[in-house]
Amino acid sequence: MNSFFKPVRTIIFFVLSGLAILLLLFSYAKLSVQPVRPLVQNKSEVERGSIVDRSGFPLAVQTNFYHVGISPKNLRDDEELKREFAKNIAPVLDLDEEMVYNTVSSSKSFVYLKKKIDSTIFESVKKITDEKGYNFVSYEKIPGRNYPNHDLASQLIGYMGDDGKGLAGIEFSQQEILSPEQHEGEETVQAKNVFLTIDANLQYKLEKIARKSINETQAESMMLIAADAKNGEILSYISFPSVDLNNYSNSSPSARIDRPAMNAYEPGSVFKIFSVGIVYDNHGISPNETFVCDGVYEKRLSSGEKIRIKCLEHHGTLTARDAIRFSCNDVLGQISDRIGEDDFIARIRGLGFGQKTGVELPGETAGTVKDNTSPLWSARSKPTIAIGQEISVSALQMVQAATAIANGGVPVQLTFIHKITNKDGTVYLTHEPVYKNRVFSKTTADYILSCMETTAKTGTGSRANLRDVAIGVKTGTAQMADPNGGYSDTDFISSCMAIFPVEEPQIILYIVVEKAKGETYGGRIVAPVIGEAADVIIDHLGMSRGGAASLEHSGVIKLSSSQAVTVGDVLPDFTGKSKKDLLPLLERSDIHLNINGSGWVTSQSPEPGTPVTENMVIELNLE
């Protein structure tokens, strides 16, 4: 050992040790003069914004859930306590008593007994654990989402996962609006509320009609879209089957599909209104020009190839209007001969087919529109596309294209966002209509709409005719593609498009029924549903009807002066009057009207015949 501690080694050792001590002292001195840094605070929890309908009715709201955990090791060998705990807690958590006992008897240091219980159950459990002194139970509070209307408009609203992120629908697409991410350095972030364009009451009424239809037809699925033709706001959005958003994890994959946005399908004969519109607008046909349907469209090319497309009937001599009215494949094929392939496909793309509509939903399909340069293009492609086959579309694309017919040739961008507000109610954003480039002349749009009105009166859409409101419709039935190639003989898509009122279009209504059992023709199974749904929409929105008591028909609809709403010495019977009919009474200062609801008067207080007194308050309930 003495030989190791030589003078040189000893000096080097002490020098290095001294330097290390000096460095350590310097570091401590430096830290002692620096200001104390404040502890980093956890980011404040920002409550997620709500999703509501256009009037503020809640559709998705913030709530809290709780995970219930236990520490089995704290119970050790106390069998009596384990049994008592299982007996008291199992019924409250809706768990099997033996399962709870086995869980608390495990050797684990910690285990979740049940996750995501709501606040009501949490309060019940906590009350028991506090009273009994179960100090081995713990709770973890997590932010969650409550969907008070369960499956109402479920695919549109979407779903929020346990991590606070939207997983589908508006919850997903508006994540940064509903729950903006707080970045380092930002003091506060503000979540916002999203007002959807849908009307929850109207949605409920139309879903009731849709459920009845899907049950009667035993269909596999169904889509319904009702949109404001003027501003593109979607008032109702239905995709069946639907999912209970409060039990999303246990739903079937089929129920989670947002069909109107995600599904691409061949539209069938409804597409004929766009085909005729394109050729008419291109001056390829005229209103009075006639064609002859002999039951089949046939054409032989110079190459020797023969095109053959069957029609359901031998319609004889038809105009283009008649071809739409009777949904004639033969005449549509002949009409398609009046336009070149390039022009036809370009005009179809101009209507928005082959591209996403750009609505505020994830996973939207673009559909498919073939080019004539595609290997899949054949000599029969143009006439086949003209009747709604060899092209795939989404329900949203069909509705957006229909806005061009309803708006005199100018399509409008569809939207689901009515407005966005801050948490204090101040408006952050309000929807303004976005009009696209003109695709039809007004003359063409008016002509197609009048053809659709003829179809409702005397054609395949007669079962959708409303009698007291002019409506334009077009029905369609298309064979679905067979996975093994070709078309199925049993699976059909039945559909109907409606625009009303014809004089001044306000609503576009489109319904698609997939794989109905038994009857499959759109004119027979979907047109009646269109009529029923249109009736509900008209009444719900308080739109004028030709058969209303305050109106008479003399070539045009006008107010009848002999039946005007007046209040004299006694109260009249207001039953059946619309909100519009009541407007003159609001200007009177001697009586006061309280109008509840929309549509038509169903009840009133005081009763008819009650003497009118000054400053009388009249309650009118509308539905």
Side-chain angles (χ1 to χ4, degrees), residues 217-519:
T217 60
Q218 299 180 54
E220 185 175 288
S221 62
M222 184 174 182
M223 299 178 272
L224 183 153
I225 300 175
D228 187 311
K230 298 301 182 186
N231 61 23
E233 293 192 352
I234 294 175
L235 305 177
S236 181
Y237 188 78
I238 298 173
S239 178
F240 281 167
S242 55
V243 54
D244 184 345
L245 295 174
N246 292 314
N247 195 25
Y248 190 85
S249 59
N250 293 326
S251 63
S252 67
S254 176
R256 301 176 189 178
I257 299 173
D258 179 6
R259 287 176 167 80
M262 295 180 175
N263 277 16
Y265 59 93
E266 293 187 348
S269 294
V270 173
F271 196 79
K272 291 173 181 175
I273 58 177
F274 304 119
S275 299
V276 172
I278 288 170
V279 180
Y280 186 91
D281 200 65
N282 216 45
H283 307 293
I285 55 175
S286 60
N288 298 321
E289 185 175 1
T290 60
F291 304 83
V292 177
C293 167
D294 58 5
V296 63
Y297 168 78
E298 286 185 309
K299 185 178 181 181
R300 187 177 295 277
L301 304 181
S302 57
S303 62
E305 182 181 356
K306 189 176 181 179
I307 303 168
R308 183 179 174 86
I309 299 175
K310 290 183 178 180
C311 191
L312 293 175
E313 302 285 347
H314 289 67
H315 293 113
T317 302
L318 301 179
T319 62
R321 178 185 299 273
D322 295 327
I324 291 178
R325 178 162 63 118
F326 297 121
S327 201
C328 178
N329 289 344
D330 186 354
V331 172
L332 257 293
Q334 297 176 54
I335 288 174
S336 72
D337 288 335
R338 302 294 183 87
I339 189 172
E341 293 175 348
D342 290 337
D343 285 347
F344 188 51
I345 295 301
R347 295 295 293 267
I348 287 174
R349 293 187 181 279
L351 281 164
F353 297 108
Q355 57 188 295
K356 299 178 181 181
T357 64
V359 295
E360 303 87 354
L361 285 176
E364 186 184 3
T365 180
T368 56
V369 177
K370 290 190 294 188
D371 290 315
N372 58 357
T373 57
S374 167
L376 299 176
W377 185 273
S378 69
R380 63 176 290 130
S381 290
K382 180 155 62 84
T384 304
I385 291 173
I387 64 173
Q389 294 183 325
E390 286 196 41
I391 180 173
S392 69
V393 305
S394 71
L396 284 169
Q397 287 175 336
M398 291 291 285
V399 172
Q400 184 153 284
T403 64
I405 297 174
N407 282 307
V410 180
V412 60
Q413 172 68 46
L414 297 180
T415 184
F416 290 103
I417 306 296
H418 180 57
K419 67 178 178 180
I420 297 173
T421 67
N422 295 315
K423 299 295 280 188
D424 60 6
T426 59
V427 177
Y428 172 77
L429 178 146
T430 301
H431 169 246
E432 294 291 338
V434 178
Y435 296 99
K436 298 175 177 287
N437 295 330
R438 177 176 291 279
V439 294
F440 291 139
S441 68
K442 188 176 188 309
T443 301
T444 298
D446 291 345
Y447 171 72
I448 296 300
L449 190 53
S450 70
C451 291
M452 293 175 69
E453 182 181 15
T454 301
T455 303
K457 288 180 177 179
T458 59
T460 59
S462 60
R463 297 189 183 191
N465 197 16
L466 301 178
R467 305 292 188 271
D468 57 355
V469 173
I471 185 172
V473 303
K474 181 66 188 83
T475 62
T477 308
Q479 289 175 285
M480 298 184 69
D482 191 308
N484 299 318
Y487 289 94
S488 171
D489 293 326
T490 58
D491 297 336
F492 293 85
I493 288 181
S494 312
S495 60
C496 189
M497 178 77 74
I499 300 174
F500 58 93
V502 169
E503 298 87 355
E504 189 177 349
Q506 297 179 43
I507 300 295
I508 296 170
L509 178 61
Y510 183 51
I511 299 178
V512 180
V513 175
E514 294 183 316
K515 297 185 180 181
K517 304 296 188 295
E519 182 62 73

Side-chain angles (χ1 to χ4, degrees), residues 585-621:
L585 299 181
L586 297 176
E587 300 176 358
R588 292 184 52 165
S589 58
D590 57 331
I591 58 174
H592 304 284
L593 260 66
N594 288 341
I595 301 175
N596 304 315
S598 299
W600 310 83
V601 178
T602 57
S603 62
Q604 69 182 78
S605 177
E607 296 180 354
T610 302
V612 175
T613 58
E614 188 174 359
N615 294 322
M616 171 183 274
V617 177
I618 305 169
E619 292 277 348
L620 300 176
N621 299 312

Side-chain angles (χ1 to χ4, degrees), residues 157-223:
I157 296 168
Y159 177 74
M160 188 192 79
D162 292 342
D163 61 354
K165 303 289 186 181
L167 299 179
I170 294 296
E171 291 275 37
F172 176 85
S173 69
Q174 303 302 301
Q175 171 69 25
E176 285 303 310
I177 295 293
L178 294 166
S179 183
E181 186 176 348
Q182 184 175 353
H183 300 287
E184 188 174 349
E186 291 181 341
E187 294 185 3
T188 57
V189 292
Q190 187 177 42
K192 297 175 176 62
N193 297 325
V194 175
F195 284 69
L196 299 182
T197 56
I198 67 167
D199 182 318
N201 287 329
L202 179 61
Q203 178 81 13
Y204 172 79
K205 294 175 183 178
L206 294 181
E207 284 196 7
K208 186 176 180 181
I209 292 173
R211 281 195 176 88
K212 175 186 172 187
S213 173
I214 204 170
N215 289 333
E216 289 177 348
T217 60
Q218 299 180 54
E220 185 175 288
S221 62
M222 184 174 182
M223 299 178 272

